[in-house]
Every structure is written in C-alpha cells, then in structure tokens.
Amino acid sequence: MAARLAGSLLPLLLLLAATFPAGALRFDLLSGHTKCISDDIKVGAMAVGKYHIVAPDDGGSLHSSSSSQQQHQLPDSHRISLRVTSPYGNSLHYSENVQSGNFAFTATEAGDYLACFWAPDHRPPATIAFELDWRSGVSAKDWGTVAKKGQVDMMELELKKLEDTIGSIHEEIFYLRGREEEMQDLNRRTNSRMAWLGFLSLAICLSVAGLQLWHLKNFFERKKLL
C-alpha cells in the first residue's frame, strides 16, 4: 500500500519540484556596476537568502562551509555589497564589502522585493562571480529541521511538503486573482478617463472650428465679400 502510494505521488512531487526549483543562481558582476534580482512575494510569506563569491580559479562555488583560508585567498577586488528592499523601498538587509552572507525576512508588503548587488570600482575592471540562493514561501522552510523535530519518516515528510505546497499554491491563486481584479479595475478606470478625454478633445475641436467659421464670416462681411 505504501509502495503504491509512493508510486502515485512520485509524478506529482516531480511536477512540484519543477514548479518550485531549488538551487543557487550564478551571476557575473563587473566591478563598478550593479545587478538587481526581484521576487514577487505575498504578505506573510517568509523569504531566506544566501549569497557568496565564487573563487575566480574555481569552476565550483565557494560554500559557506569552506575554510577561512579559502576566504582569505580571494583578491581584494572580489567583494560585493547587497541591499534588499521591499516594494515600497524599505530596507530589509544591507551588507557592504563582504564575500558571503545571508538574509531572512517575513513579507509585510505584497509585491516585488528587490535584491541589488554592486561591486567597488577597480582598475583594471574585475568580473566577480557570485551565487545567490533565494527562496520564499514553502521552499524557504527548513525541512531537515521539520523532520528532526517531528521524528517522521520519509513518506510523512513528503506528504507534509505536499500539503504545504498545495496550501501555498491555493494562496497564490487567490493572490493572483486579487491582483487581476485590481488590474481590471485600473483598466476600466483608464478606459473611462480616455473616453471622457476623447469627448473633451472632440468638443474643443468643434468649438475651435465654429469660432474659426464665425471669424471668417465676420471678416468677409466687413470686406463686403459676402
């Protein structure tokens, strides 16, 4: 029975894994420039992020578990600064001239949260590679801790993940529906204003045309051409 249930859940879990991808994203940042990444987060959702500079001689990443000796081997030019802001511009995290770090917050505003990275200007210019692992919602939960605290087996843990993911999708659908209603209301207001503007423009054009005809008629009458 458990094997049958696991087999039926496997395609759904693979689909959810594709919907909520995990893993860090790698970026190249030129010194003296800024790169920004945004994430649309709803109110009450938790977001966590980790970032670190990738060693220039390495094809892989410099994880937080690396030794301090590896950290010191990075050139002085390989440092970045980060600021995370809310949709209304409130600063949620700030780090300056660091090689790695992390941040976490619970969204109090719905919309696009922005993480902007920049590097000090150097001569000659240097290209700094860094990795960012930014998760929000269900993917931000520490499932390893959940499994340890609850002492649950693998199947129960997968079911818990599935339940939370379905709840997150349900909330996301209602959130997107609300955003859609807001956009439709904005479109209706815009169309109404454009219609009034069109009528006003037509009225002004007709009034100007009438004044021009009246002026020409008076002019020709004075010249006794009519």
Side-chain angles (χ1 to χ4, degrees), residues 4-68:
R4 230 181 265 171
L5 181 60
S8 63
L9 285 175
L10 182 59
L12 183 56
L13 291 174
L14 290 176
L15 176 62
L16 291 172
T19 307
F20 297 93
L25 299 175
R26 181 167 175 170
F27 302 91
D28 288 331
L29 179 62
L30 189 64
S31 58
H33 289 70
T34 301
K35 188 178 292 290
C36 294
I37 302 100
S38 67
D39 189 12
D40 188 3
I41 306 176
K42 61 179 180 294
V43 175
M46 182 178 180
V48 296
K50 295 180 181 179
Y51 55 94
H52 56 265
I53 296 177
V54 178
D57 298 330
D58 244 359
S61 61
L62 184 65
H63 295 289
S64 57
S65 59
S66 299
S67 64
S68 58

Side-chain angles (χ1 to χ4, degrees), residues 56-186:
D57 298 330
D58 244 359
S61 61
L62 184 65
H63 295 289
S64 57
S65 59
S66 299
S67 64
S68 58
Q69 183 179 2
Q70 285 179 304
Q71 290 275 356
H72 293 315
Q73 288 175 354
L74 288 171
D76 291 338
S77 60
H78 280 58
R79 292 182 179 273
I80 56 176
S81 300
L82 165 67
R83 184 185 297 276
V84 181
T85 55
S86 71
Y88 293 101
N90 297 318
S91 181
L92 302 174
H93 174 80
Y94 176 73
S95 295
E96 187 174 4
N97 293 332
V98 296
Q99 297 173 352
S100 63
N102 54 73
F103 59 86
F105 61 87
T106 300
T108 56
E109 306 163 4
D112 289 329
Y113 284 75
L114 203 63
C116 287
F117 294 83
W118 67 93
D121 197 7
H122 284 276
R123 291 292 180 269
T127 299
I128 303 169
F130 68 93
E131 288 187 355
L132 170 66
D133 186 2
W134 189 356
R135 305 166 187 261
S136 61
V138 175
S139 59
K141 287 190 175 181
D142 187 354
W143 291 106
T145 304
V146 172
K148 289 177 182 177
K149 287 184 177 180
Q151 296 180 351
V152 294
D153 59 16
M154 185 57 68
M155 180 57 66
E156 291 173 338
L157 180 60
E158 294 300 328
L159 289 173
K160 176 62 176 172
K161 287 183 182 180
L162 183 60
E163 180 186 0
D164 282 7
T165 303
I166 292 172
S168 176
I169 294 174
H170 187 260
E171 293 176 0
E172 188 71 21
I173 289 173
F174 278 99
Y175 170 68
L176 293 175
R177 183 182 297 175
R179 293 289 295 270
E180 182 183 2
E181 290 176 354
E182 291 176 4
M183 293 302 297
Q184 289 178 352
D185 186 50
L186 177 61

Side-chain angles (χ1 to χ4, degrees), residues 203-213:
I204 292 174
C205 290
L206 292 175
S207 300
V208 171
L211 288 173
Q212 287 177 339
L213 290 174

Side-chain angles (χ1 to χ4, degrees), residues 186-200:
L186 177 61
N187 288 336
R188 284 192 293 268
R189 291 200 306 268
T190 303
N191 292 335
S192 176
R193 290 172 182 173
M194 290 300 297
W196 279 108
L197 181 61
F199 287 131
L200 180 61

